[in-house]
Amino acid sequence: MVLNDQQIQRRQTLQQLRDLGIDPYPADEFVITANSDELKKRFEAGEELTNISFAGRVMVRRIMGKASFAELQDEFGRIQAYFNRDELCPGEDKTLYNDVFKKHIDLGDIIGVNGFVFRTQTGEISIHVKEFRFLSKSLNPLPLPKEVDGKVYDAFTDPELRYRMRYVDLLVNPKIKDTFRKRSAVIRSMRNYLEAKGYLEVETPILQAIPGGAAARPFITHHNALDIPLFLRIANELYLKRLIVGGFEGVFEFAKDFRNEGMDKTHNPEFTQMELYVSYKDYKWMMNLTEDMLRKICMDATGGTSVQFGENTIDFGKPFERLTLFGAIEKYTGFNLEGKSEDEIRDIAKSLKVEVDQTMGSGKMIDEIFGETCEHHLVQPTFIMDYPVEMSPLTKRHRDNPNLTERFELIINKKEIANCYSELNDPIDQRERFEHQTKLLERGDDEAMFIDQDFLRALEYGMPPTAGIGIGIDRLVMLLTNNESIQEVLLFPQMRPEKIRTADSDEKFIAAGVPAEWVDALRKNGFQTVEDLKKEDNPGKLSQTLNGFRKKNKLDIPGLSPETVATWIS
C-alpha cells in the first residue's frame, strides 16, 4: 500500500502514543451519559450538567497556549470541548496536555471526555473537560472542507468517492444522515400501517431454483452441494402467493431483489421493495389502500402531505388521478393502440421514434411506447390501469374486457413507484400465460418469465381472489428526500471494483535511469510508479520541483539538470 506523508505521520504518532503507555484502541467500555443534541437541549432547559461523559470524533482543534478548544462530533451533531492544561495536569507532569493533546491528537481521532457543561463568553454551549482518553486513533486524514469568507473549498462532493467511501461521506457531510433517517422512517411507517391492518410480515427465499414473479434478467450462481444452478430472486411474488394458498389472508415482505440489468439514476442491481398480498380483494381496493398508506407515510416521514422534488411540488393530499394505459397513450400521442396487431403497433412505435425490434411482442412494444411518450408527463401521483394480457402474465383478466388485465402501476414524478394486480388464480389460464412467455424466451427476450411448475401446482389447490402490490422502497425514498439518484438513498450502492494503486520497487525506478538516492524524493513528490514518471511532459519543471524539495529538506544528494530528468522520462 502506498502511504502519503500524512498517513506516515499518523502511524508515527500512533507509535509515540504506545511509547507513552497509552492504548490508542482500548477494549474496555466507555460509558456515555448523553449525546451532543441531548446535552444542548438539557442545558438550555436549565439542567445543571456537572458530571457528564461524552465521546466524539475530533473535527476541529484550536490550540491557544495553556487552553484549547476542539469540536467533537457524534451521530447527532457537534459540541465544543474546552481543555485547560493545568486542570488536566494539576501536577508537574504536563505530558497529557503538551504532548498527547497538542501533538498526538489528529483530526478524525475519537476521544472520550468527562467534565461539566457550561456556556463560554461567546455564548457557545461547551464541555469543560476534566479528563479525556483516546478511544480510536484515525490513520487516514479526513477530507474536511474549508470555509474562507463564506465560501467552502475542498468539499467532499465527488459522487464516486462519496458512494465508494460512504463512511467518509457520513462523517464530513453529516446532513447525508438525514436521508437515511428518513428512509428508516418510511419503512417503519409502512410496516406499522400494514401490521395495524392485521397483515403478517414474512420472509421468503432469496436463492431460487426458478426466477419468477417479474420480467427481468436474473443473476445466476451455483450451489456446490446440490450441484444445481440457482438464481438471486428478481421478485418474491410467487412465494407470497404460495402463502395465500396456504391460508394466510394478508402477508407482506420487505425484500431485497436483484436484477442483472443496467445501472442508472433510478436502477441499482440490488434494490428493496415491499410486496403485499391480501385475500378476497381486487386492484380497485388496493388503489384505495395504496393512496391512503402513501399519504400516511408522507406525513410520518416529512411532517406534511406534500413534498418538493426539484421544481415540482408532489401532493399526496389530493385524490390520485386514474387513467387507463391505452387512454394515457392516446392522450399523449393521439394513437389508440387497443385492438391493434403486433405489426401495426410496431409501425406506430417507429412513427413515434420509439426503438423496437423483432424480438418484442405487442406487450413489450406497448410498454416501450408508454415509457417513452407518456411517463414524463405524469408528475402528480397517477394510477395507470388495465394493461394488455401479454404485458401481465400473472394478472387476472379484466372483468369487462378479456384482452386486458386488472393491473395498475402508480406513477409519481415520471417514475413507476408501485405495481399492482388482481392476481391470476386460474391455474389453467396461468399455465397458458407461462407457455406464451416461453415462446418469447425462444424469440430472444431474455426478460420473459420461466415456467414455475411448483407454483402452478400450488394454484391447482386453489388460491382465493387476491390483490397484490409491489412498492419500490428506494424510489419512494428518493421522492420523499428530493434525490434524483438512487445511489443517494442506498448506503452502499453497487460500484465498479476499486483499482488499488501499488508502488513500483526501487529497482524498477533505478532500471529506468533514476539514481537510487533520488527514488525516495520522487515518491514523496507523488511519483509512485515509473508509469507516473513517464507521464510527466515537462522535465524542466520537474527538475525545478525536485531541486526545490532537495533544498527545503537539506538532502545531501547532487542536484538535477533538466537534461538528466529528461532521460528518466524518455
Side-chain angles (χ1 to χ4, degrees):
M1 183 174 65
V2 178
L3 300 178
N4 60 37
D5 287 347
Q6 288 193 61
Q7 291 171 318
I8 293 169
Q9 180 269 321
R10 287 181 182 231
R11 281 159 174 77
Q12 292 170 346
T13 301
L14 178 72
Q15 186 57 50
Q16 289 163 359
L17 285 170
R18 286 178 167 146
D19 291 344
L20 289 169
I22 296 171
D23 183 356
Y25 306 104
D28 53 311
E29 177 187 11
F30 183 84
V31 177
I32 298 171
T33 57
N35 63 51
S36 59
D37 188 53
E38 291 170 342
L39 287 176
K40 292 174 183 178
K41 287 179 178 177
R42 289 165 60 184
F43 186 82
E44 290 282 14
E47 186 175 347
E48 188 175 355
L49 302 170
T50 56
N51 186 22
I52 64 96
S53 295
F54 176 82
R57 192 179 293 269
V58 179
M59 304 301 283
V60 175
R61 273 200 318 161
R62 294 183 289 273
I63 296 176
M64 306 158 68
K66 297 179 182 180
S68 298
F69 290 91
E71 288 184 20
L72 305 182
Q73 177 175 293
D74 66 0
E75 180 182 352
F76 300 93
R78 293 188 186 185
I79 190 166
Q80 183 171 263
Y82 169 73
F83 299 78
N84 183 283
R85 186 192 68 181
D86 295 330
E87 291 187 47
L88 288 170
C89 312
E92 293 293 324
D93 186 359
K94 307 297 183 184
T95 302
L96 184 63
Y97 182 83
N98 289 339
D99 291 337
V100 177
F101 179 80
K102 292 176 70 174
K103 297 178 183 178
H104 299 333
I105 287 182
D106 292 302
L107 298 187
D109 289 352
I110 300 171
I111 64 172
V113 299
N114 300 94
F116 62 88
V117 180
F118 75 110
R119 194 185 296 274
T120 66
Q121 292 181 346
T122 59
E124 186 166 355
I125 297 173
S126 305
I127 300 171
H128 189 121
V129 178
K130 291 294 188 180
E131 298 175 331
F132 80 90
R133 60 177 296 195
F134 261 93
L135 299 178
S136 184
K137 180 69 183 171
S138 172
L139 299 183
N140 288 329
L142 290 173
L144 292 169
K146 303 173 183 64
E147 187 170 338
V148 180
D149 298 329
K151 291 185 178 181
V152 176
Y153 298 89
D154 300 326
F156 190 65
T157 57
D158 182 85
E160 181 170 348
L161 289 177
R162 287 182 51 238
Y163 304 152
R164 192 180 298 283
M165 299 192 293
R166 182 67 86 182
Y167 40 89
V168 176
D169 187 30
L170 294 167
L171 287 175
V172 302
N173 298 316
K175 288 185 178 179
I176 300 296
K177 291 188 178 79
D178 294 340
T179 294
F180 296 100
R181 290 193 180 100
K182 195 165 287 186
R183 181 185 178 107
S184 181
V186 167
I187 293 172
R188 183 168 58 251
S189 176
M190 187 177 288
R191 175 177 282 118
N192 290 344
Y193 182 94
L194 296 174
E195 287 184 340
K197 297 282 186 185
Y199 307 139
L200 178 69
E201 184 172 4
V202 298
E203 293 178 301
T204 62
I206 292 175
L207 283 174
Q208 301 181 351
I210 296 175
R217 185 185 302 130
F219 286 92
I220 305 173
T221 185
H222 185 82
H223 192 292
N224 290 334
L226 296 177
D227 193 24
I228 59 171
L230 288 176
F231 303 86
L232 292 178
R233 70 178 169 203
I234 55 176
N236 51 338
E237 175 170 342
L238 302 188
Y239 282 92
L240 292 174
K241 287 181 183 178
R242 286 172 168 91
L243 297 179
I244 296 295
V245 171
F248 288 109
E249 295 189 357
V251 292
F252 69 95
E253 180 177 16
F254 289 91
K256 282 287 187 185
D257 292 334
F258 308 85
R259 297 183 183 177
N260 196 358
E261 299 168 346
M263 294 171 57
D264 56 34
K265 285 190 173 183
T266 59
H267 294 88
N268 193 67
E270 175 184 351
F271 62 98
T272 304
Q273 65 176 346
M274 188 286 298
E275 291 206 22
L276 164 71
Y277 293 83
V278 184
S279 298
Y280 309 111
K281 306 298 182 185
D282 65 4
Y283 79 138
K284 293 182 179 179
W285 174 89
M286 189 66 84
M287 279 189 219
N288 296 330
L289 178 137
T290 302
E291 189 170 333
D292 182 62
M293 179 171 65
L294 291 185
R295 191 170 292 126
K296 178 70 164 56
I297 290 168
C298 185
M299 178 68 74
D300 289 346
T302 71
T305 57
S306 63
V307 294
Q308 194 69 27
F309 194 98
E311 298 178 351
N312 299 314
T313 300
I314 311 298
D315 191 349
F316 288 90
K318 294 179 181 178
F320 295 3
E321 186 177 2
R322 303 185 182 194
L323 292 171
T324 66
L325 176 68
F326 286 134
I329 291 174
E330 186 171 8
K331 177 178 178 180
Y332 293 111
T333 71
F335 289 100
N336 183 354
L337 301 186
E338 192 165 4
K340 292 288 191 295
S341 69
E342 187 174 299
D343 288 338
E344 288 174 319
I345 294 171
R346 185 173 285 106
D347 290 339
I348 290 171
K350 290 178 180 176
S351 73
L352 293 169
K353 294 182 171 54
V354 175
E355 287 190 24
V356 294
D357 59 52
Q358 294 301 317
T359 69
M360 294 182 179
S362 297
K364 193 83 176 280
M365 290 189 289
I366 291 169
D367 193 32
E368 290 292 321
I369 290 170
F370 175 78
E372 292 294 322
T373 65
C374 301
E375 273 192 349
H376 61 278
H377 294 289
L378 306 176
V379 175
Q380 296 304 320
T382 305
F383 292 116
I384 300 296
M385 311 176 295
D386 304 345
Y387 285 67
V389 170
E390 185 179 329
M391 293 179 67
S392 311
L394 297 167
T395 313
K396 190 184 287 288
R397 290 180 188 270
H398 198 283
R399 66 198 72 179
D400 299 321
N401 184 340
N403 295 316
L404 301 177
T405 58
E406 297 199 345
R407 170 187 176 187
F408 73 73
E409 287 188 0
L410 175 60
I411 311 294
I412 310 177
N413 197 48
K414 313 171 191 176
K415 298 296 179 184
E416 175 197 344
I417 299 294
N419 191 12
C420 166
Y421 308 153
S422 289
E423 300 295 339
L424 179 57
N425 60 342
D426 179 342
I428 295 174
D429 190 0
Q430 181 65 84
R431 182 176 294 277
E432 291 173 353
R433 307 269 196 98
F434 276 152
E435 289 171 349
H436 179 71
Q437 289 288 303
T438 300
K439 293 176 182 177
L440 292 177
L441 276 170
E442 292 169 353
R443 288 172 56 176
D445 186 348
D446 58 3
E447 293 185 353
M449 291 189 189
F450 293 73
I451 295 181
D452 188 333
Q453 297 290 354
D454 179 69
F455 173 66
L456 290 172
R457 180 171 59 190
L459 286 187
E460 289 171 354
Y461 281 93
M463 185 176 85
T466 299
I469 190 169
I471 297 177
I473 298 300
D474 307 317
R475 289 189 180 181
L476 180 58
V477 174
M478 288 168 62
L479 187 66
L480 297 180
T481 58
N482 194 14
N483 277 303
E484 292 187 355
S485 172
I486 194 171
Q487 287 79 17
E488 292 290 346
V489 301
L490 301 174
L491 279 168
F492 301 103
Q494 192 66 44
M495 305 288 292
R496 292 185 185 277
E498 184 177 7
K499 293 182 179 179
I500 303 300
R501 196 160 175 259
T502 57
D504 284 343
S505 65
D506 289 4
E507 289 73 18
K508 195 165 182 179
F509 279 98
I510 294 168
V514 179
E517 62 268 23
W518 272 106
V519 173
D520 187 57
L522 272 176
R523 293 192 196 283
K524 290 179 177 177
N525 280 274
F527 297 94
Q528 303 300 332
T529 67
V530 171
E531 184 181 353
D532 291 340
L533 186 59
K534 298 290 186 185
K535 291 177 183 177
E536 178 61 51
D537 59 1
N538 191 332
K541 181 179 178 182
L542 180 55
S543 65
Q544 187 177 12
T545 298
L546 293 174
N547 285 326
F549 180 84
R550 167 180 167 269
K551 183 178 180 180
K552 180 181 177 181
N553 291 276
K554 299 179 181 178
L555 301 179
D556 186 20
I557 54 179
L560 295 167
S561 68
E563 292 75 21
T564 299
V565 173
T567 64
W568 304 349
I569 295 171
S570 62

